[in-house]
């Protein structure tokens, strides 16, 4: 895919915005009571998407999207409180009011839409496998003989069990980082989740040349912005996503975060698009 470049001005705005966010944003200890700002749930352990480093600075495509949306809603970067949103806890975080929204590789599906509202989608990924560099997966059927790892509460784990590899040995851990440790050590054959997430891990300096994507495109995963049910922000968030695509900021964020991994992202999906059977 050929991504159009954002203007120099837009790119500069994004850079300054993210720098301010990293320095001024809150951490995951907040309780969601952010009267003068907005609390946004993200992943803390997904390089390229949502990552908190040792200096409590945040980076990744989801962080860029969340920062842009917050800006369109009237919040400066230093008014954002970041809170960790592990996959099994996302619905509860929204239901309890611990966060105002979640931008955390949150795949839209019917079961989740019964509990929360989704703006977007803002990204289309595909489930795949991350394997060791010398490991070959000849076809989808071969996955049934493998030991896989994914995270608790993810659609990836559900897809393995219900769809393409019901006989595979599946291990579920709280974080992808734990799965990656098992993959590197040989305890598992593959980490399965969205290709965007896998590309982020494979691109890390310490992992280069160790792993590769199987490139199987096992499913379509439409990432949405999670909002509390019957949220009055739904239309405004959708408008913010559309504006981010139109002004080139979305394309710039894709290039900045996924370009180093050589990951070919899909074009931005239409607002309202949903997975089909």
């Amino acid at each position: 895919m050929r991504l159009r470049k954002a203007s120099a001005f837009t790119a500069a705005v994004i850079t300054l915005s993210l720098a301010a966010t990293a320095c001024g944003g809150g951490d995951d200890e907040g309780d969601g009571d952010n009267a003068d700002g907005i609390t946004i749930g993200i992943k803390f352990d997904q390089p390229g998407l949502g990552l908190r480093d040792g200096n409590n600075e945040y980076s990744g495509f989801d962080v860029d999207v969340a920062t842009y949306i917050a800006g369109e809603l009237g919040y400066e970067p230093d008014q954002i409180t970041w809170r960790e949103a592990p996959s099994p806890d996302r619905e509860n975080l929204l239901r309890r009011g611990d966060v105002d929204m979640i931008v955390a590789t949150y795949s839209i599906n019917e079961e989740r839409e019964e509990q929360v509202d989704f703006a977007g989608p803002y990204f289309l990924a595909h489930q795949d496998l991350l394997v060791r560099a010398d490991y070959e997966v000849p076809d989808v059927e071969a996955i049934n003989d493998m030991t896989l790892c994914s995270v608790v509460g993810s659609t990836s784990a559900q897809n393995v069990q219900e769809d393409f590899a019901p006989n595979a040995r599946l291990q579920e851990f709280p974080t992808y980082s734990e799965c990656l440790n098992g993959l590197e050590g040989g305890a598992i054959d593959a980490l399965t989740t969205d290709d965007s997430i896998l590309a982020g891990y494979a691109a890390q300096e310490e992992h280069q040349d160790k792993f590769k994507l199987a490139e199987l495109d096992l499913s379509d995963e439409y990432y949405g912005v999670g909002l509390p049910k019957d949220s009055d922000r739904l239309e405004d968030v959708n408008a913010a996503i559309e504006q981010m695509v139109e002004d080139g900021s979305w394309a710039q964020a894709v290039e900045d975060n996924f370009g180093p991994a050589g990951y070919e992202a899909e074009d931005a999906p239409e607002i309202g698009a949903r997975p089909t059977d």
Side-chain angles (χ1 to χ4, degrees):
M1 175 184 73
R2 185 180 299 274
L3 295 171
R4 59 191 176 94
K5 295 279 190 177
S7 66
F9 174 77
T10 301
V13 169
I14 294 173
T15 301
L16 291 173
S17 175
L18 292 178
T21 301
C23 296
D27 57 25
D28 64 328
E29 300 303 321
D31 60 1
D33 185 10
N34 189 7
D36 297 324
I38 188 168
T39 301
I40 303 177
I42 59 171
K43 293 295 180 67
F44 280 11
D45 69 335
Q46 288 181 355
L49 286 151
L51 184 68
R52 182 176 73 172
D53 66 17
N55 297 317
N56 285 334
E57 296 183 349
Y58 303 88
S59 63
F61 180 73
D62 281 351
V63 175
D64 290 7
V65 171
T67 302
Y68 189 100
I69 291 172
E72 291 295 298
L73 295 178
Y75 298 99
E76 297 296 328
D78 61 2
Q79 293 179 289
I80 300 173
T81 295
W82 301 111
R83 177 153 184 164
E84 186 171 23
S87 295
D89 297 335
R90 289 177 295 202
E91 288 81 22
N92 288 332
L93 288 169
L94 288 167
R95 186 168 53 249
R96 292 194 304 259
D98 295 338
V99 297
D100 296 301
M101 67 179 63
I102 290 178
V103 188
T105 59
Y106 202 179
S107 295
I108 300 170
N109 62 34
E110 291 183 357
E111 181 180 356
R112 289 171 177 168
E113 286 198 288
E114 292 176 359
Q115 303 177 67
V116 303
D117 282 346
F118 280 107
Y122 63 90
F123 195 80
L124 173 58
H126 305 284
Q127 186 170 348
D128 202 351
L129 305 180
L130 186 70
V131 297
R132 291 179 291 278
D134 60 352
Y135 194 100
E136 296 297 330
V137 186
D139 52 37
V140 175
E141 181 63 27
I143 301 173
N144 282 288
D145 297 321
M146 297 171 63
T147 300
L148 306 180
C149 185
S150 195
V151 298
V152 177
S154 69
T155 55
S156 300
Q158 183 178 354
N159 290 342
V160 169
Q161 295 173 319
E162 297 181 1
D163 297 327
F164 58 82
N167 296 323
R169 298 173 295 278
L170 178 65
Q171 299 182 21
E172 296 180 76
F173 290 118
T175 67
Y176 292 113
S177 298
E178 293 174 84
C179 287
L180 196 67
N181 290 336
L183 177 61
E184 186 169 12
I188 64 170
D189 299 318
L191 163 57
T192 183
T193 187
D194 303 345
D195 51 8
S196 56
I197 300 171
L198 299 177
Y201 283 117
Q204 287 185 295
E205 185 175 354
E206 64 269 29
H207 296 146
Q208 288 180 8
D209 301 322
K210 291 182 180 180
F211 308 115
K212 65 181 180 182
L213 273 70
E215 299 183 351
L216 296 176
D217 285 0
L218 299 168
S219 70
D220 292 336
E221 304 296 334
Y222 290 84
Y223 294 168
V225 177
L227 298 164
K229 198 66 177 173
D230 301 320
S231 172
D232 58 5
R233 282 183 165 144
L234 182 61
E235 291 186 5
D236 290 337
V237 175
N238 278 333
I241 295 170
E242 289 182 319
Q243 179 63 27
M244 186 177 187
V245 174
E246 289 173 6
D247 70 18
S249 301
W250 185 92
Q252 187 67 51
V254 168
E255 185 172 332
D256 290 345
N257 291 289
F258 299 129
Y263 171 64
E264 295 263 341
E266 299 273 7
D267 291 330
E270 295 284 338
I271 297 296
R274 293 294 187 266
T276 57
D277 295 332

